[in-house]
């Protein structure tokens, strides 16, 4: 469904991605793991057209999206829950969720809200609280909930476990698996928490200095001695 | 989070006060300390007043020592509005209704004179300008220092269309709004990528460009002489004149009243009030629509907005265009009220005052803008008796208000929408 082919992304003279190719099939959870600065977030942002790929091609459902403006990419069904959550702090939880429904024009509002509340009951309790007063974990739930309100076909998650209490990390990963199983939603997940990510992923890629250095199923990567040495032991 | 800031240590405060005293010395030495006097031989000589300088420096040092820490501590606490603003916004509908009733009744209250109504009209114009700018600054978060440009575009559109094509006020009003909106889009395009300080500087420049065009384009705008004899408004075709022309009926004849110049003054007041109310209804309504929410979201986080499929270009341009449109309406009104306009009326200080109203009101708050406009217009009026010290008093009052309410008079933001209203959807 998503094919990224030989994508190079530059920030000025620095090449953050040096020809990355990945793909995501319908209904898959694909994890991208790697150290800080490996280019994981850049890859997600490039898929959204922010920044643009300097060369290479990105196709979604057979259509080339490399040069589309971000808002059109979102309307095609690629929605990102960005790194650092980026919820709207002065707006209430409800208003935040409404912002997510912009691409659908609010047509399925009631139904989609119910689905988000079923997934994250905590959000319903906090409905009229300001986004900025939520805990980190709740904000992450709101961030994912907001992205789901857009009815994505492919959900991009950037570091959903960053800065969140371990107990909430587990809840959030459970929710990610649930979204994928129940709705068959394809998910591209970027994580530093490699163990958690590979455990739930169908397939994974290891990124290092802007290149894919390993790929395989989640289980293969978890068992790979080099991956273990570099990203798993020490962490877990 | 109301985390208390610890008062700085005494040594720091002394150091801080000494620094303030030094700045005061540098300023006061030439201003207070030296005076040019005519000497006995008829030549100018310098007289020194070291006592005054010393006194000034001492006041600054002691004042800073006593209150400096206090003020800094208060400023450091970024409050989401205290109990007062929460009270005000909770009862904002009641307050709004009471304020509106007062505004409508004002011309007929016992104390109202021509002066009172004139000042009230000015307040209402600034309220309207504040509400217009609030769309751009308060909701969309785009700092605009050149708002007066749209006010000028509106005023000159009316004046020129009336002068050249003989069009009436009601025909010109939408044209003026449209032209100002176009000017807003023209300004918007080049500045879309800019944010914060950079945006502010470019908008400042835009305001100056418009003013300079007005001054230098003699053939059309009359240059610095401005445009005189702008048609005064009529009551839907019935003029406010003592002796109407052939075949015309004047306002006082229509209603069988004694002729009075007050009729026009009162009519202008209601006209301004009506235009301001339209602005308010529009802004209140649009805040609840997706575009209004998108403005607020854009102010909070542009990257998140992009990730949610919002087109920031269009969203910003609509904010600029609509904000400018209301500036244009207000400008038209200004032109017809004054009967004479010149570039003098559209200097940077106007932009600064309108922006001050928005900031003082608490960015994004509708009632806050009303309070702030009243404060900003009325303070210099009240202080008229202080004569020379009037602006000093005005400045000091503004500083005090911002210390007391660093986030504006009404900083508490009410959600625009609640789920409960949807009738048990949950």
């Amino acid at each position: 469904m998503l094919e990224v082919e030989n994508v190079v992304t530059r920030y000025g003279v620095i090449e953050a991605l040096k020809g990355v190719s990945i793909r995501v099939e319908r209904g898959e959870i694909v994890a991208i793991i790697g150290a800080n600065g490996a280019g994981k977030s850049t890859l997600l942002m490039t898929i959204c057209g922010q920044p643009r790929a300097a060369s290479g091609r990105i196709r979604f459902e057979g259509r080339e999206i490399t040069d589309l403006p971000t808002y059109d990419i979102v309307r095609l069904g690629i929605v990102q829950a960005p790194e650092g959550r980026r919820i709207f702090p002065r707006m209430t939880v409800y208003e935040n969720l409404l912002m997510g429904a912009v691409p659908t024009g609010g047509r399925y509002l009631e139904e989609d809200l119910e689905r988000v509340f079923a997934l994250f009951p905590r959000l319903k309790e906090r409905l009229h609280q300001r986004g900025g007063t939520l805990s980190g974990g709740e904000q992450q739930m709101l961030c994912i909930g907001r992205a789901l309100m857009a009815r994505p076909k492919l959900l991009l998650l950037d570091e959903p476990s960053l800065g969140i209490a371990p107990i909430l990390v587990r809840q959030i990963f459970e929710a990610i698996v649930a979204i994928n199983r129940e709705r068959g939603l394809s998910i591209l997940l970027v994580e530093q928490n490699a163990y958690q990510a590979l455990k739930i992923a169908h397939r994974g890629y290891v990124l290092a200095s802007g290149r894919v250095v390993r790929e395989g199923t989640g289980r293969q990567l978890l068992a790979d001695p080099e991956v273990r040495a570099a990203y798993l032991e020490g962490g877990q | 989070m109301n985390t208390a800031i610890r008062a700085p240590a005494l040594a720091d405060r002394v150091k801080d006060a000494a620094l303030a005293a030094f700045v005061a010395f540098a300023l006061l030495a030439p201003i207070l300390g030296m005076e040019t006097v005519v000497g006995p031989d008829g030549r100018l000589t310098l007289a020194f007043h070291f006592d005054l300088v010393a006194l000034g420096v001492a006041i600054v040092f002691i004042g800073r020592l006593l209150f400096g820490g206090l003020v800094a501590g208060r400023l450091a606490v970024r409050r989401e509005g205290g109990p007062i603003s929460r009270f005000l916004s909770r009862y904002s509908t009641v307050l709004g209704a009471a304020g509106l009733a007062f505004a409508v009744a004002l011309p007929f209250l016992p104390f109202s004179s021509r002066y009172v109504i004139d000042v009230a009209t000015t307040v209402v114009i600034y309220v309207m300008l504040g509400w217009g700018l609030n769309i751009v600054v308060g909701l969309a978060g785009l700092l605009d220092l050149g708002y007066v440009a749209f006010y000028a575009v509106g005023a000159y559109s009316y004046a020129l269309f009336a002068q050249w094509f003989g069009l009436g006020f009601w025909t010109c009003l939408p044209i003026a709004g449209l032209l100002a909106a176009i000017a807003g889009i023209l300004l918007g395009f080049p500045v879309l990528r800019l944010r914060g300080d950079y945006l502010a500087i470019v908008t400042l420049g835009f305001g100056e460009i418009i003013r300079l065009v007005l001054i230098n384009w003699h053939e059309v705008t009359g240059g610095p002489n401005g445009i005189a004899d702008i048609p005064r408004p009529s009551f839907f075709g019935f003029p406010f004149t003592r002796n109407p022309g052939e075949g015309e009926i004047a306002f006082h004849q229509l209603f069988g009243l004694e002729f009075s110049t007050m009729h026009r003054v009162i009519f202008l007041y209601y006209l301004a009030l009506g235009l301001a109310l339209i602005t308010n209804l529009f802004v209140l309504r649009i805040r609840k629509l997706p575009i209004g929410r998108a403005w607020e979201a854009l102010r909070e986080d542009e990257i998140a907005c992009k990730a949610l499929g919002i087109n920031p270009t269009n969203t910003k341009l609509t904010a600029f265009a609509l904000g400018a449109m209301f500036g244009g309406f207000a400008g038209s009104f200004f032109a017809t009220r004054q009967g004479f306009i010149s570039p003098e009326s559209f200097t940077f200080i106007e932009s600064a005052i309108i922006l001050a109203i928005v900031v003082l009101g608490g960015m994004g708050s509708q009632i806050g803008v009303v309070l702030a406009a009243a404060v900003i217009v009325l303070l210099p009026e009240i202080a008229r008796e202080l004569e020379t010290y009037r602006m000093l008093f005005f400045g000091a009052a503004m500083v005090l208000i911002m210390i007391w309410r660093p986030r504006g008079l009404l900083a508490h933001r009410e959600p625009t929408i609640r789920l409960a209203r949807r009738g048990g959807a949950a």
Side-chain angles (χ1 to χ4, degrees):
Chain A
M1 128 183 269
L2 177 80
E3 291 147 62
V4 176
E5 251 174 57
N6 257 322
V7 161
V8 175
T9 304
R10 295 199 183 92
Y11 292 114
V13 290
I14 299 163
E15 262 187 10
L17 298 181
K18 299 169 182 161
V20 170
S21 301
I22 64 160
R23 68 198 159 78
V24 180
E25 300 298 341
R26 196 173 299 275
E28 266 189 326
I29 298 181
V30 174
I32 296 179
I33 62 170
N36 256 338
K40 304 186 302 285
S41 291
T42 306
L43 176 58
L44 281 202
M45 295 303 280
T46 309
I47 292 171
C48 293
Q50 283 282 317
R52 297 226 165 275
S55 67
R57 280 146 66 96
I58 305 169
R59 269 197 303 271
F60 181 61
E61 296 190 312
R63 190 176 160 180
E64 170 131 18
I65 60 165
T66 325
D67 293 316
L68 285 185
T70 305
Y71 50 87
D72 278 341
I73 295 174
V74 175
R75 272 157 215 265
L76 286 176
I78 303 182
V79 181
Q80 183 169 171
E83 182 176 8
R85 309 185 281 267
R86 293 192 173 269
I87 52 146
F88 304 114
R90 300 234 302 161
M91 298 168 88
T92 63
V93 169
Y94 183 45
E95 288 171 314
N96 267 278
L97 291 173
L98 286 181
M99 289 308 301
V102 167
T104 68
R107 270 186 301 264
Y108 316 101
L109 202 61
E110 313 279 321
E111 190 190 336
D112 289 352
L113 277 173
E114 283 314 308
R115 286 164 81 172
V116 169
F117 294 152
L119 198 61
F120 301 118
R122 196 76 76 89
L123 292 183
K124 194 170 180 178
E125 292 163 27
R126 305 257 188 268
L127 200 57
H128 295 301
Q129 214 169 304
R130 281 161 197 275
T133 64
L134 300 181
S135 77
E138 290 165 345
Q139 289 189 4
Q140 187 60 54
M141 292 175 188
L142 178 55
C143 175
I144 295 174
R146 190 178 62 179
L148 289 175
M149 292 297 289
R151 298 211 150 193
K153 296 175 186 159
L154 171 65
L155 178 64
L156 309 183
L157 296 173
D158 198 344
E159 304 262 9
S161 74
L162 195 71
I164 290 172
I167 182 159
L168 287 176
V169 171
R170 228 183 55 211
Q171 269 186 35
I172 283 166
F173 275 91
E174 278 165 13
I176 294 170
V177 172
I179 301 165
N180 172 255
R181 283 222 184 109
E182 286 158 24
R183 311 188 192 180
L185 181 61
S186 319
I187 294 171
L188 180 58
L189 167 71
V190 155
E191 256 300 340
Q192 282 206 48
N193 191 336
Y195 179 72
Q196 286 278 8
L198 290 176
K199 227 170 56 175
I200 65 164
H202 299 108
R203 290 188 305 112
Y205 295 86
V206 180
L207 224 57
S209 331
R211 287 201 175 84
V212 174
V213 293
R214 273 273 190 304
E215 60 174 291
T217 63
R219 204 172 296 210
Q220 280 169 351
L221 290 176
L222 271 177
D224 188 309
E226 278 186 51
V227 174
R228 290 190 73 91
Y231 304 107
L232 296 174
E233 274 135 25
Q236 281 288 322
Chain B
M1 308 269 163
N2 272 344
T3 34
I5 302 290
R6 254 184 337 116
L10 186 66
D12 287 336
R13 289 178 63 174
V14 172
K15 209 187 285 173
D16 177 57
L19 186 69
F22 175 74
V23 173
F25 175 76
L27 284 172
L28 293 178
I31 296 174
L32 276 184
M34 294 177 217
E35 189 187 9
T36 46
V37 289
V38 183
D41 52 354
R43 285 197 302 179
L44 278 179
T45 52
L46 275 178
F48 295 96
H49 304 287
F50 294 116
D51 47 341
L52 280 178
V53 176
L55 182 68
V57 170
I59 290 174
V60 168
F61 181 78
I62 293 168
R64 183 79 191 179
L65 196 62
L66 289 179
F67 303 113
L70 187 76
V71 170
R74 290 290 289 276
L75 282 179
V77 184
R78 309 255 303 167
R79 287 177 308 172
E80 268 296 339
I84 298 174
S85 62
R86 211 166 298 143
F87 168 84
L88 284 175
S89 39
R90 185 156 307 155
Y91 299 101
S92 63
T93 33
V94 183
L95 275 173
L100 180 60
F102 175 75
V104 170
L106 181 74
F108 305 104
L109 294 178
F111 58 83
S112 76
S113 58
R114 188 186 169 126
Y115 170 72
V116 169
I117 296 174
D118 266 337
V119 171
T121 310
T122 309
V123 172
V124 174
I125 294 184
Y126 277 106
V127 168
M128 184 175 172
L129 286 168
W131 279 338
L133 184 61
N134 210 358
I135 296 176
V136 185
V137 178
L139 297 182
L142 303 163
L143 186 53
D144 184 350
L145 289 182
Y147 193 63
V148 76
F150 309 122
Y151 192 36
V153 167
Y156 272 85
S157 321
Y158 170 57
L160 292 172
F161 275 102
Q163 203 176 43
W164 291 57
F165 305 109
L167 297 181
F169 178 73
W170 295 105
T171 325
C172 287
L173 193 66
I175 299 177
L178 186 70
L179 288 175
I182 291 170
I185 292 174
L186 284 181
L187 165 69
F189 261 117
V191 302
L192 281 170
R193 291 158 172 277
L194 305 178
R195 233 169 286 173
D197 329 0
Y198 302 99
L199 175 68
I201 291 169
V202 176
T203 54
L204 176 69
F206 183 77
E208 285 302 290
I209 289 171
I210 294 277
R211 193 175 64 84
L212 291 173
V213 166
L214 294 178
I215 291 180
N216 291 303
W217 198 9
H218 290 282
E219 301 78 14
V220 176
T221 64
N225 298 330
I227 299 175
D229 297 326
I230 299 168
R232 310 309 303 269
S234 59
F235 184 78
F236 305 102
F238 303 100
F240 291 94
T241 42
R242 185 184 294 278
N243 303 309
E246 196 73 17
E248 274 188 331
I249 302 172
F251 175 79
H252 65 282
Q253 291 167 324
L254 181 72
F255 289 93
L257 299 168
E258 193 75 15
F259 175 79
S260 157
T261 51
M262 281 297 284
H263 290 158
R264 176 173 13 210
V265 176
I266 294 174
F267 174 69
L268 279 172
Y269 171 72
Y270 279 125
L271 184 57
L273 195 61
L275 288 174
L277 286 178
I278 291 170
T279 313
N280 186 32
L281 286 179
F282 182 89
V283 175
L284 287 181
R285 189 82 198 89
I286 205 162
R287 268 192 69 178
K288 295 188 176 154
L289 298 179
I291 179 73
R293 233 175 288 124
W295 287 337
E296 290 197 66
L298 202 64
R299 176 192 66 199
E300 306 231 317
D301 197 325
E302 190 167 336
I303 291 174
C305 280
K306 282 185 185 164
L308 294 173
I310 291 164
N311 179 345
T313 311
N314 290 351
T315 311
K316 282 185 190 175
L317 284 181
T318 37
F320 270 120
L322 290 173
M325 182 178 80
F326 289 112
F329 289 158
S332 277
F333 175 81
F334 176 78
T336 190
R337 179 191 185 207
Q338 301 290 321
F340 165 76
I341 51 172
S342 77
E344 291 277 289
S345 311
F346 307 105
T347 50
F348 169 67
I349 188 74
E350 287 296 314
S351 291
I353 287 177
I354 303 164
L355 185 66
I357 288 173
V358 174
V359 174
L360 197 62
M363 311 256 259
S365 160
Q366 292 293 98
I367 291 215
V369 163
V370 179
L371 292 178
V375 165
I376 289 208
V377 177
L378 295 182
L379 266 185
E381 291 298 326
I382 292 166
R384 251 177 216 290
E385 286 162 32
L386 297 175
E387 293 171 6
T388 326
Y389 299 103
R390 187 170 152 219
M391 290 323 274
L392 189 69
F393 167 77
F394 180 62
M398 294 279 288
V399 169
L400 285 177
I401 290 173
M402 285 328 273
I403 288 173
W404 174 54
R405 302 220 73 84
R407 309 197 62 176
L409 292 170
L410 283 184
H412 184 72
R413 178 186 175 276
E414 275 294 298
T416 56
I417 189 163
R418 286 176 174 274
L419 193 57
R421 274 192 5 182
R422 307 184 73 89

